[in-house]
Amino acid sequence: MNQAEKRAFLIKRLLNEDRRYRGMEIPADAYAQKRMLRSLMNIRRPQAIDAEFLTVQDEYLRQEIKDAGITRLADLEPVCGDFYLWQGDITRLQCGAIVNAANSGMTGCYVPCHACIDNCIHTFAGVQLRLDCAELMERQGHEEPTGQAKITKAYNLPCDYVLHTVGPIVDGRVTPEDERLLASCYRSCLELAGQNGVESIAFCCISTGVFHFPNQRAAEIAVETVQKFKTETGSEMKVIFNVFKDLDLEIYRRLLTENRSSES
């Protein structure tokens, strides 16, 4: 099967899985088909599915990611020491682990085609990731506390692992507790990555965006926390600060350049 045939197969299987959608017409346009497939994956509850579906899905997603272009850690130049800065889609980054800004339910975003990182990561990892996360949460028996982290396989993403962490939600002015919890997100991810032999980790801008943590202060806490962890532990883990917005690119570039100047 080519990509179009695989996409049609996956859509049909997901439509037939839920009686509410059986018989729904599949659009002819490739872009509309891609949105339909993503939407069906986004709203699907965590549950097992047969090996044939997973084989086709995995081949399809890996080709989509390859066609979009994979960025490898070796392609990047460090800004200072073991710190890297990269602007782009974190699902296209090949490194040891990427960090997902999750919600307390930890099973991904259920809003069809939502632009959040949680949605993107679960979409391109494949349906296995949501089931993995659901099983983790069932064993835990309660929602994920803010500031902690979980690790899963990355499935079809080019990285090896995904680290899921729940950042603080800011309501009005940033409090010392908000800052402590955000720092804990970074520290928890680094500790968990180290325990699993991860040699490189890519952090998204945790808690900014819909969680309303101010970008400048969030970046300061991120850099400070990672630097403190590396100093205290002697870790040689390479750290990529992944940004999407131009604003965050400017903030991190300034902070890391200042960090480089202070070390020289």
Side-chain angles (χ1 to χ4, degrees):
M1 287 189 283
N2 59 30
Q3 282 296 91
E5 291 168 336
K6 290 173 185 172
R7 185 167 58 244
F9 170 86
L10 296 171
I11 291 172
K12 288 175 184 176
R13 285 296 311 277
L14 293 176
L15 288 174
N16 288 332
E17 191 179 51
D18 191 322
R19 63 184 180 183
R20 293 174 297 174
Y21 307 129
R22 289 172 191 166
M24 185 177 290
E25 185 176 350
I26 300 175
D29 176 67
Y31 175 75
Q33 287 180 4
K34 289 182 180 183
R35 287 187 62 83
M36 186 179 210
L37 176 57
R38 179 168 178 168
S39 297
L40 290 167
M41 293 173 71
N42 293 160
I43 63 176
R44 185 178 187 267
R45 308 307 299 180
Q47 56 186 308
I49 199 164
D50 63 82
E52 183 185 19
F53 178 92
L54 293 178
T55 297
V56 176
Q57 176 210 245
D58 293 354
E59 291 174 354
Y60 175 80
L61 291 175
R62 288 172 186 174
Q63 188 61 52
E64 288 292 293
I65 291 171
K66 182 179 178 181
D67 290 346
I70 295 172
T71 296
R72 297 166 177 81
L73 178 62
D75 300 331
L76 306 179
E77 291 289 335
V79 179
C80 64
D82 293 329
F83 290 175
Y84 296 73
L85 178 59
W86 183 68
Q87 183 179 29
D89 182 349
I90 202 168
T91 66
R92 308 295 184 252
L93 192 55
Q94 187 177 82
C95 59
I98 62 171
V99 173
N100 178 27
N103 57 54
S104 59
M106 292 289 280
T107 58
C109 170
Y110 288 81
V111 179
C113 296
H114 193 250
C116 71
I117 191 170
D118 199 15
N119 188 294
C120 293
I121 286 174
H122 274 269
T123 296
F124 289 100
V127 298
Q128 303 98 310
L129 182 58
R130 176 165 284 171
L131 181 58
D132 253 17
C133 291
E135 290 173 346
L136 276 174
M137 296 308 290
E138 185 176 359
R139 289 194 295 271
Q140 179 165 283
H142 56 80
E143 290 190 335
E144 181 71 0
T146 302
Q148 297 184 18
K150 293 283 189 293
I151 189 168
T152 64
K153 297 176 185 177
Y155 292 100
N156 295 294
L157 299 171
C159 57
D160 298 320
Y161 297 100
V162 178
L163 290 153
H164 308 261
T165 189
V166 181
I169 300 174
V170 175
D171 183 16
R173 176 177 265 175
V174 175
T175 66
E177 180 65 2
D178 292 330
E179 295 186 341
R180 185 192 71 78
L181 288 170
L182 183 59
S184 180
C185 288
Y186 285 92
R187 182 92 188 191
S188 297
C189 287
L190 290 164
E191 290 174 348
L192 193 52
Q195 292 165 12
N196 285 272
V198 172
E199 297 181 353
S200 58
I201 181 172
F203 283 103
C204 61
C205 300
I206 302 168
S207 275
T208 58
V210 295
F211 280 18
H212 306 300
F213 210 108
N215 300 63
Q216 175 71 34
R217 186 61 189 131
E220 291 169 354
I221 291 170
V223 174
E224 291 166 4
T225 304
V226 173
Q227 182 63 69
K228 184 178 180 182
F229 174 85
K230 289 177 68 64
T231 300
E232 291 177 350
T233 64
S235 171
E236 296 181 354
M237 194 183 305
K238 298 183 186 304
V239 177
I240 306 160
F241 292 104
N242 167 243
V243 300
F244 193 75
K245 297 179 180 178
D246 291 340
L247 169 65
D248 291 313
L249 180 66
E250 294 172 8
I251 291 171
Y252 273 96
R253 181 180 287 141
R254 183 170 61 253
L255 290 172
L256 294 175
T257 301
E258 291 171 356
N259 196 55
R260 179 176 59 194
S261 299
S262 66
E263 291 179 351
S264 59

